[in-house]
Amino acid sequence: MNDPGSTVPAATPRLDPDASGLAEAAALLRGGALVAFPTETVYGLGADATDPAAVARIFAAKERPRFNPLIAHLPDPDSAAAEGVFDGPARRLADAFWPGPLTLVVPAHSGTRVCDLARAGLPSVALRVPAHPLARALLSAVDRPVAAPSANRSGRVSPTRAAHVLDDLAGRIAAVLDGGDTPVGVESTVVACLGGPPRLLRPGGITRAALRAVLGHDPARPEAADADRPAGPGMLASHYAPRARVRLDATRIAPGEAALLFGAHHPEGYALACAALNLSPAGDAEEAAARLFGALRELDASGAATIAVAPIPSEGLGEAIRDRLARAAAPR
């Protein structure tokens, strides 16, 4: 797995979220190594997006298909604007939601520093300015675009704390910058602004209603995506998956299943579950989103063959939660 140009210790260290930890993480990234770091959504697996060899290490560490484009992270909107071409809707969305959990897929600027491998050979580039203060401090210190998909094996459950990163990638990456639990808990919303009406490629931390308030209309649905060549990140049908099978909208829990609950109402038979967690007893979608990936990992660790998921409404952040669960339940 390791190559001569990488810096991968036998045991991946956690770096403290202080000046020393930031300086070490930035130096590793500038040197071509992989460093996981927190954003407000999930932990990202960072590499210098200008360096094809560094980006290739992401694909190797994650065992990720190279046709799947990566999001380039920048410390501020002006830095992002230098990498892509923003039309009116893209500018309005950036002004409204950056820094924050929004990724914009726009035409790549002729002078973009984001390498072709990070863009999966596409003429577009996926850009994000995260809101997490530790992420922004790291990106400012690196002073170049940082490609950073979620810091887990490809297709597995995304990490919301440093321990989750190490569960999947210990010994495969140089370090993880430990910033504690991530507050949003589901990945960024991805919107494509490529000349036509803006298209919602992936629901996430920015809700459809918030996008509508800025655009004046609902974003268009994604075009029929070529399964072998996604138009943007996070579009693979099977993704975010635990080892256990995931069964959605369960109104009854079978004996021996693990149960993922939501709200005060419990499905029939939940008391016979081998393990049970409630994303939000109060039925709060924000609380549920923040707990989703951690709960999936914990229930998966129970050894249950199936995780039965109680119905979750699709309003607000519920749309992003249901999207992730549908991908976790997809055929693999």
Side-chain angles (χ1 to χ4, degrees):
M1 178 60 61
N2 299 359
D3 63 70
S6 65
T7 306
V8 182
T12 299
R14 297 192 198 203
L15 303 179
D16 291 330
D18 55 17
S20 175
L22 278 167
E24 184 173 351
L28 286 167
L29 286 168
R30 287 194 301 268
L34 304 182
V35 176
F37 64 94
T39 75
E40 70 275 22
T41 57
V42 300
Y43 273 74
L45 180 57
D48 179 356
T50 72
D51 179 356
V55 171
R57 293 182 187 112
I58 288 180
F59 290 102
K62 284 178 63 72
E63 300 173 4
R64 178 184 176 109
R66 294 198 180 199
F67 58 72
N68 201 358
L70 304 176
I71 299 171
H73 293 66
L74 287 305
D76 55 72
D78 287 343
S79 299
E83 306 299 333
V85 178
F86 288 65
D87 60 13
R91 285 193 296 272
R92 292 201 300 276
L93 290 169
D95 288 345
F97 300 118
W98 277 355
L102 175 71
T103 293
L104 291 174
V105 179
V106 297
H109 194 282
S110 59
T112 185
R113 295 171 293 168
V114 180
C115 70
D116 186 72
L117 181 58
R119 294 186 286 114
L122 297 172
S124 56
V125 62
L127 302 170
R128 182 156 100 88
V129 179
H132 196 293
L134 194 61
R136 296 187 72 194
L138 177 63
L139 295 168
S140 294
V142 175
D143 195 29
R144 64 193 70 167
V146 172
S150 57
N152 54 279
R153 301 278 187 99
S154 187
R156 295 284 307 283
V157 180
S158 298
T160 55
R161 58 184 60 161
H164 296 162
V165 176
L166 295 173
D167 285 345
D168 265 9
L169 298 176
R172 289 174 167 243
I173 65 175
V176 54
L177 184 62
D178 191 347
D181 288 5
T182 62
V184 175
V186 292
E187 293 84 355
S188 61
T189 298
V190 180
V191 177
C193 295
L194 297 170
R199 291 182 289 132
L200 178 60
L201 301 186
R202 180 181 74 183
I206 301 296
T207 66
R208 185 184 295 269
L211 297 174
R212 183 191 310 126
V214 171
L215 295 172
H217 56 81
D218 265 349
R221 295 184 179 277
E223 297 170 356
D226 181 349
D228 293 326
R229 195 166 179 78
M235 295 184 68
L236 295 180
S238 178
H239 210 38
Y240 317 111
R243 295 179 180 87
R245 185 174 75 91
V246 175
R247 185 167 67 86
L248 303 179
D249 294 320
T251 57
R252 183 180 183 280
I253 309 299
E257 288 186 320
L260 186 61
L261 309 174
F262 178 82
H265 175 73
H266 294 156
E268 180 185 348
Y270 86 96
L272 299 177
C274 69
L277 290 172
N278 197 322
L279 291 174
S280 174
D284 182 279
E286 289 191 12
E287 180 184 19
R291 297 190 63 197
L292 175 63
F293 289 136
L296 282 174
R297 284 177 176 267
E298 188 172 339
L299 291 178
D300 204 26
S302 73
T306 300
I307 298 173
V309 183
I312 296 173
S314 59
E315 291 79 18
L317 275 178
E319 181 181 16
I321 295 169
R322 290 186 63 87
D323 171 83
R324 301 311 188 273
L325 287 169
R327 294 174 194 269
R332 305 173 193 175

